[in-house]
């Protein structure tokens, strides 16, 4: 099977208005934490991991909006 993950790195723009759901983590990146994003048996799966400006994983399992502008794809 193929697995993938999406990571969102916070920058200058405020992202909170675009982020839905997920679980607060405030965790130091580690192998077990990052592997949980790929494991379909964990709540972290099927969503993005948000990395804050300190390099910590802020939230996991976050849903992001999809574009309705298909011409932009």
């Amino acid at each position: 099977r193929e697995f993938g993950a999406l990571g969102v790195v916070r920058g200058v723009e405020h992202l909170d208005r675009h982020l839905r759901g997920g679980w607060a983590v405030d965790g130091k990146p580690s192998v077990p934490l990052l592997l949980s994003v790929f494991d379909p048996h964990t709540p972290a799966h099927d969503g993005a991991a948000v990395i804050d400006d300190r390099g910590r994983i802020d939230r996991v399992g976050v849903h992001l909006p999809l574009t309705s502008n298909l011409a932009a794809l």
Side-chain angles (χ1 to χ4, degrees):
R1 300 192 323 174
E2 295 182 22
F3 293 98
L6 183 62
V8 177
V9 179
R10 290 187 185 269
V12 177
E13 297 295 322
H14 295 283
L15 296 175
D16 291 334
R17 65 187 172 115
H18 300 293
L19 306 177
R20 300 285 181 262
W23 290 267
V25 176
D26 189 28
K28 178 181 176 183
S30 65
V31 171
L33 183 54
L34 293 173
L35 287 177
S36 73
V37 174
F38 292 93
D39 185 348
H41 302 100
T42 68
H45 184 68
D46 281 344
V50 179
I51 302 164
D52 69 17
D53 58 352
R54 302 171 297 158
R56 295 180 64 82
I57 298 178
D58 182 38
R59 292 166 61 183
V60 294
V62 176
H63 293 192
L64 304 169
L66 298 175
T67 184
S68 58
N69 182 0
L70 296 179
L73 298 177

